[in-house]
Amino acid sequence: GAGVSQSPRYKVAKRGQDVALRCDPISGHVSLFWYQQALGQGPEFLTYFQNEAQLDKSGLPSDRFFAERPEGSVSTLKIQRTQQEDSAVYLCASSPLTNEKLFFGSGTQLSVL
Amino acid sequence: GIQVEQSPPDLILQEGANSTLRCNFSDSVNNLQWFHQNPWGQLINLFYIPSGTKQNGRLSATTVATERYSLLYISSSQTTDSGVYFCAVGRDSNYQLIWGAGTKLIIKP
């Protein structure tokens, strides 16, 4: 596609619900990253995929967070049993290789009530 | 780990003014990128510039890797330049880039 596409743009969840956030990277991009951004802060790294392999998940805040990229293209970030502290903007980014220009999607704004 | 400091934290200018944003980093890097986050939250990559100078329209950037800083120049500012400018650095890979706290720029008409 022309750019990184994320859906939904906004998600409101009740505390305890599971949510799934989708990222469709730029076609052919090997590297895919998930970030979390709190209001007024810079993005914070969550996890990194090279093709379908999840090479680092050290930034995931808890075991309620799970990400996958089964065919090396579309990725899903799943949050189980959402908590209020999970409220943030979740950003997906991709790059052709690991050390090239990074392109971001518009993000999913998650609000947990 | 690498520390990244951006200055100034906030900048308010009139339309048409020029500005210089600075990014200092504490260790050697070979990956440095500048981003603009607009008021709607979209992060746009302005430059991939681990060293040297690049220009794109009214924007240019210079990184002096040996002295551990990078500068982003905005000339003839427009209201659409408003937003937060982030510098992110790393070694080799986009993997675990270290982000600065950003410079919030407001351009007044």
Side-chain angles (χ1 to χ4, degrees), chain B:
Chain B
I2 300 172
Q3 305 297 314
V4 181
E5 289 186 5
Q6 289 188 244
S7 59
D10 300 279
L11 189 57
I12 301 174
L13 298 171
Q14 288 297 131
E15 201 168 20
N18 301 329
S19 58
T20 301
L21 282 56
R22 187 176 181 102
C23 173
N24 290 336
F25 41 96
S26 61
D27 205 345
S28 60
V29 300
N30 49 21
N31 184 335
L32 189 148
Q33 303 186 44
W34 281 97
F35 296 88
H36 174 219
Q37 189 162 40
N38 66 24
W40 296 271
Q42 176 70 53
L43 266 165
I44 297 165
N45 194 307
L46 300 175
F47 295 103
Y48 176 88
I49 186 165
S51 64
T53 297
K54 291 187 177 179
Q55 182 157 5
N56 184 4
R58 295 182 296 104
L59 273 61
S60 64
T62 295
T63 297
V64 184
T66 53
E67 297 188 20
R68 299 181 185 168
Y69 72 88
S70 183
L71 301 174
L72 177 68
Y73 304 98
I74 305 173
S75 64
S76 304
S77 299
Q78 300 176 358
T79 55
T80 51
D81 295 330
S82 295
V84 181
Y85 290 78
F86 289 104
C87 166
V89 307
R91 295 202 182 97
D92 297 317
S93 170
N94 289 329
Y95 167 49
Q96 293 236 24
L97 283 175
I98 310 299
W99 291 71
T103 292
K104 184 174 181 181
L105 177 64
I106 297 174
I107 304 297
K108 293 188 170 182

Side-chain angles (χ1 to χ4, degrees), chain A residues 77-90:
Chain A
L77 176 68
K78 297 178 179 178
I79 309 173
Q80 297 177 324
R81 304 181 304 280
T82 51
Q83 304 293 315
Q84 282 190 319
E85 61 263 29
D86 300 334
S87 296
V89 176
Y90 291 85

Side-chain angles (χ1 to χ4, degrees), chain A residues 7-67:
Chain A
S7 62
R9 184 73 177 90
Y10 302 95
K11 177 70 180 177
V12 178
K14 291 183 179 177
R15 190 171 52 185
Q17 278 186 330
D18 298 348
V19 298
L21 313 180
R22 177 188 169 102
C23 173
D24 200 341
I26 294 172
S27 178
H29 278 196
V30 168
S31 298
L32 185 146
F33 304 80
W34 283 99
Y35 285 85
Q36 182 188 61
Q37 188 175 26
L39 194 63
Q41 307 286 324
E44 293 205 2
F45 170 82
L46 294 177
T47 188
Y48 161 57
F49 289 86
Q50 185 170 323
N51 294 309
E52 68 278 2
Q54 189 175 20
L55 298 188
D56 191 303
K57 54 183 181 179
S58 62
L60 296 176
S62 75
D63 59 7
R64 296 185 295 103
F65 287 70
F66 171 76

